[in-house]
Amino acid sequence: VEILIRSALANAGRAHHSRIVLEHVTKSIECQPLCAHLPNLVIEVAEKTWRLSPKRSSEYRLHPDLEELFGFEDSVAFNYLPPSSLQGPFTFLLVSHSEVAIDFIVRLANLATLSYSRSRLSREVLIVDMPTLVGSRSLLASARLWALYRGMMSGPPVLGCALMSLEQWLLSEAKQGKDIREIVRKILDSSSSAAIVAVIASVALAYPAAVGDEILPLLGVRELYQWDLER
């Protein structure tokens, strides 16, 4: 199976059947066994087939689709509608291999947010300072990013699915009484996007004891209160 998938990756731009194989690697529901047994390969396929190539990104149409503004191939959107935690490989990866899945989702959100911040929608984006134990760090943020995990603002469906899956998994872990403070700390330390931070805020509101003091840095950012009230 791995040989078949890697062969498809090598021929993705030339062969129709290779593209079909790759679509099934990350297709909702069908990809569950692959996520369990070949998680890193699933993530590799996702990152190589979802992201807009540098050549394409320099040849934007006059009015590119929203997916392209976030750095995704526009064709990706149709495979993950409507956005939910049941779409895509995210939930299966989180259940089977949570550590690599979290890294993948945070990386996906960071790259998409960076593309968005450099697009024609850049006027929406603010750089806010989020306090840390050793000072502060910059967070790319906007009302659109803050509401993506609820599907209440237009955005790339695949990113919405990733955020919804992360929220659902964290809520499930907290509901079972598991200590997720270290996970939350890791996510906050590695995220540069308010889209991910919004998910953490949601989990903290539902299960404050599970998150503990890790949520404290968010309480000093005024814009986050405003966007949450709007949401």
Side-chain angles (χ1 to χ4, degrees), residues 141-179:
S142 72
R144 185 188 300 274
L145 291 171
W146 191 260
L148 274 181
Y149 78 103
R150 279 286 183 259
M152 301 178 69
M153 293 284 280
S154 298
V158 69
L159 180 56
C161 295
L163 297 170
M164 293 174 186
S165 298
L166 179 60
E167 182 199 25
Q168 189 62 39
W169 181 78
L170 287 171
L171 288 172
S172 176
E173 293 289 289
K175 185 176 182 179
Q176 296 175 51
K178 296 182 180 179
D179 188 345

